[in-house]
Amino acid sequence: SLAWQATGMIVIRDFLPDKAKQVDALALQAFAQYQKAYQDWPVFQAKLGKLSALANVGELVVAEVGGQVVGAVVYIGPNAPKADFFRPEWSIMRMLVVTPEMRGRGIGRLLAEECLHRAQRDGATTVALHTSDLMQVALQMYQRMGFKLVAKAPLIHGVAYGIYVKELAADEHLFPFLPL
């Protein structure tokens, strides 16, 4: 278990392969509370345990405290390969996970905001994700950030998912700049 220190700084950075085991374990920890909801949990669990492999299809971003990975998300840019239920021109975020001991500290939001920054960098006008009503904390965070439900996604191992999008205004700055 990761001890949180009041002085603990959260570092958001690109994934490095030497952290693969930590990232894969994190995904399993993050989803463990939902295992009874998913059909074929062992099959789904095997996929979750390969989160680090998503670094091959997108930009895997991690949150670290004291050198330990406490959160992760995968950003996939516009016109990169993605699930058919997402439009090709959308940027998407996948598999946002935070270790249970570190939830409620803004780590998920920092990771989501990093995906929004990358989408702006890439000139995307829309960022999408899919999530389930099971994940109430994450869903409420996405809604507070301006994501809106636009469609149902296919079931994932028997669990209903929705597709949520956030439109990025061309003049929207995530970092407000002060005039000189």
Side-chain angles (χ1 to χ4, degrees):
S1 154
L2 191 65
W4 174 259
Q5 293 132 15
T7 58
M9 249 185 49
I10 301 165
V11 177
I12 304 295
R13 66 168 182 79
D14 289 327
F15 163 78
L16 296 172
D18 67 332
K19 299 289 185 168
K21 281 188 171 69
Q22 284 185 38
V23 167
D24 294 342
L26 168 63
L28 292 169
Q29 291 167 10
F31 272 83
Q33 74 188 84
Y34 307 117
Q35 65 183 290
K36 288 184 174 41
Y38 287 91
Q39 297 166 359
D40 299 325
W41 174 250
V43 174
F44 188 51
Q45 190 178 30
K47 290 178 193 170
L48 291 170
K50 294 181 181 138
L51 173 57
S52 63
L54 290 178
N56 299 321
V57 297
E59 298 172 35
L60 180 51
V61 180
V62 297
E64 290 185 349
V65 174
Q68 290 294 308
V69 176
V70 296
V73 67
V74 179
Y75 166 79
I76 298 175
N79 303 310
K82 56 189 67 90
D84 292 344
F85 50 83
F86 293 118
R87 291 193 186 151
E89 68 272 16
W90 290 350
S91 284
I92 65 168
M93 68 174 108
R94 287 185 61 189
M95 289 296 298
L96 185 128
V97 290
V98 175
T99 188
E101 301 87 357
M102 297 298 285
R103 290 181 183 156
R105 294 185 169 93
I107 294 166
R109 186 171 185 111
L110 287 171
L111 288 165
E113 286 173 351
E114 180 62 22
C115 289
L116 296 178
H117 295 309
R118 290 173 188 231
Q120 285 187 311
R121 170 200 73 194
D122 293 347
T125 56
T126 304
V127 179
L129 58 91
H130 69 304
T131 191
S132 171
D133 287 344
L134 275 182
M135 295 147 197
Q136 273 302 303
V137 173
L139 180 54
Q140 290 169 13
M141 177 192 75
Y142 297 137
Q143 289 169 330
R144 284 192 305 273
M145 291 179 76
F147 284 86
K148 307 271 188 248
L149 178 66
V150 294
K152 288 183 177 179
L155 295 180
I156 297 177
H157 293 276
V159 173
Y161 276 70
I163 300 167
Y164 293 78
V165 300
K166 177 179 173 67
E167 301 298 331
L168 298 177
D171 61 351
E172 183 177 349
H173 293 289
L174 295 167
F175 291 117
F177 295 99
L178 297 173
L180 296 173

